[in-house]
Amino acid sequence: MKQLELTPRLLAAAQLVPPGAAVADIGTDHAYLPVWLLKQGRVRYAIAADLRSGPLERARQTAREHDCTQNIDFRLCDGLSAIRTDEVDTIVIAGMGGETIAAILQAAAWTRDGRYTLILQPMSAQNDLRHWLWKNGYGVREERIVCEGDKLYNIMLAGFGGAVPMTLGEEWAGRQTPDLDQPLRGEFLARLLYKTTRAIDGISRGKDGGDRERLAELTRLQEELSQMKKEWAQWQP
Ligand SMILES: C[S@@+](CC[C@H](N)C(=O)[O-])C[C@H]1O[C@@H](n2cnc3c(N)ncnc32)[C@H](O)[C@@H]1O
């Protein structure tokens, strides 16, 4: 049988899935994640769902190639629209923009229930996703940062309940506490701060000093990130 190895980003998401779960992977594409979970015996049931038929056909092919067609279903649907509330207890939405992930959850009010585990991996706009989560009552319980190629990715373990308001810096970088096990956090904060500083420079060089409101927000973000980076460095042994 073919080997299936997940890249660090998908592996980190898969490792957050509770053992014995019934999982829906939304935007599954090749279905690498659910097929890997089933092959590992980590989940009892999986739904591989995608908006488009091409990716869903690839998903079916992966399952066939890995002789893994028993406990998996395939759904052609937008977000969670064809997932019944009693079919799964865990939802993975990975590899999409943060705004799309938030829109998918917004359209599925049934996820506002503490019994569902959400594993979310935004490719962009992670600040918008964190903002939407806390504003809508979802708490981020754990975050992992992994490196794949030269990029860093954040993977969030979330669920309904325990939402805590976030500062601007926290919406961009996630909450930090001294006990956090995130070896790549220092690097992540440094990169975010660098990007923010470049954005400020770009706007400041614009006509009439650029968009003042945007500049003020970015300057506040720069200050908060800088403080978070210092705080994080102090906490390290
Ligand atoms: C970049 S792939 C990510 C694949 C995999 N989840 C990963 O993280 O590697 C994004 C997939 O999400 C699907 N997609 C985009 N919007 C979606 C939506 N609203 N509902 C379901 N699937 C969606 C796309 O068709 C595509 O197959």
Side-chain angles (χ1 to χ4, degrees), residues 9-10 26-29 50-52 55 77-79 94-96 100 104:
R9 178 181 63 84
L10 278 181
I26 306 302
T28 196
D29 200 352
D50 206 285
L51 182 61
R52 298 182 296 130
C77 62
D78 186 354
M96 289 183 216
T100 305
I104 288 173

Side-chain angles (χ1 to χ4, degrees), residues 10 86-87 126 178 220:
L10 278 181
D86 58 349
E87 287 183 297
Q126 51 178 284
R220 184 155 64 90

Side-chain angles (χ1 to χ4, degrees), residues 12 36 46 100 113 128 131 149 168:
W36 185 89
T100 305
D113 183 326
D128 289 329
H131 179 82
L168 184 64

Side-chain angles (χ1 to χ4, degrees), residues 169-186:
E170 286 170 341
E171 286 181 350
W172 277 89
R175 241 167 217 289
Q176 64 184 32
T177 50
D179 58 335
L180 219 52
D181 179 19
Q182 282 183 356
L184 290 172
R185 187 166 183 84

